[in-house]
Amino acid sequence: MAHKIRVGALISGGGSNLQAIIDASKSNRIDARVVFVGSDNPEAYGLKRAQKHAIPTFVVDYRTIIEETRGRPPKNLLPEDFDLEVCLRRTRQRLSDASSDRVKAERYFCIRAIAEAALLREMAAYPFDLLVLAGFMRILTPYFIDRVNTDPSQLRIMNIHPSLLPSFPGADGYGDTYRYGCKVGGCTVHFVDYGEDTGPIVGQKAFEITPDDTIDTVREKGLKLEWQLYPECIQLFAENRLQVVFKTYTLENGTDVKRKLVQIAG
Ligand code: GAR
């Protein structure tokens, strides 16, 4: 067996993707081992799944942090290395009402930085090669991303999303796919960037949506594919086969677009 990469995982809920990754690593189907599982939600069932396998866990309770910092977040809670201007400059999130409102945007990023600094403090105990978001339902800001991707040419945060991106980013990929009347659904693993579900795509799997399908069967079909896709993408990372490249394309109207893409070697 080749050298195993160390994978950290962040979850918010049931953790069926986490389970698929743990199973793949325990059965040596991937050259990886899960070194910690963190959650923003103390009730996440995925924490129990990790504990069953003696994987260290921690919780940074976002809800409590958000409640306790209602109003203006106390300056003394902000991490010393937090720079609001850098966050505002780098983010590509659609902050809905916050984007046009400086006070709201400031509040949003300050509270996230307090929570993310707590995540980073917990994670510091467990060195890792790759961080996987496995149903982690919080958007990460540039403050956190820059402290994990310390070498900007080496992306090392992956996310799994329940749609064929770039269609249907956001909180309910399968629901949005189904309600749109799509005849094909799917799931995507991508590297995390400063946007919302916009990072370079690592892998995708698709399934057919038939007239008999309901929202529940669409979710079932999708999740089954997620459990295959995530371990496969982690294995590509472990084999060092994921190369981030820049490509420039000229559109029909003559403008050039530059894209950051993942190329799979070998
Ligand atoms: C999965 O469907 C995953 O794609 C989705 O949450 C579910 C988590 O299930 N993630 C997102 O929507 C991220 N925006 P799990 O906890 O059973 O792995």
Side-chain angles (χ1 to χ4, degrees), residues 13-18 134-137 159-162 170-171 174 197 223 226:
S16 69
N17 276 289
L18 171 70
F136 185 64
M137 303 307 280
N159 181 40
I160 189 150
H161 183 76
Y174 292 135
D197 303 321
L223 263 177
E226 291 185 35

Side-chain angles (χ1 to χ4, degrees), residues 20 35 43 53 67 70 111 115 120 135 142-143 147 167 190 199 208 210 220 229 232 249 266:
V35 293
E43 310 296 326
H53 292 273
E67 270 162 24
R70 213 167 276 290
I111 293 175
L120 291 164
Y143 173 75
R147 278 153 190 78
S167 293
H190 63 94
E208 198 181 338
T210 64
E220 257 168 51
L229 179 65
E232 284 173 18
Y249 299 100

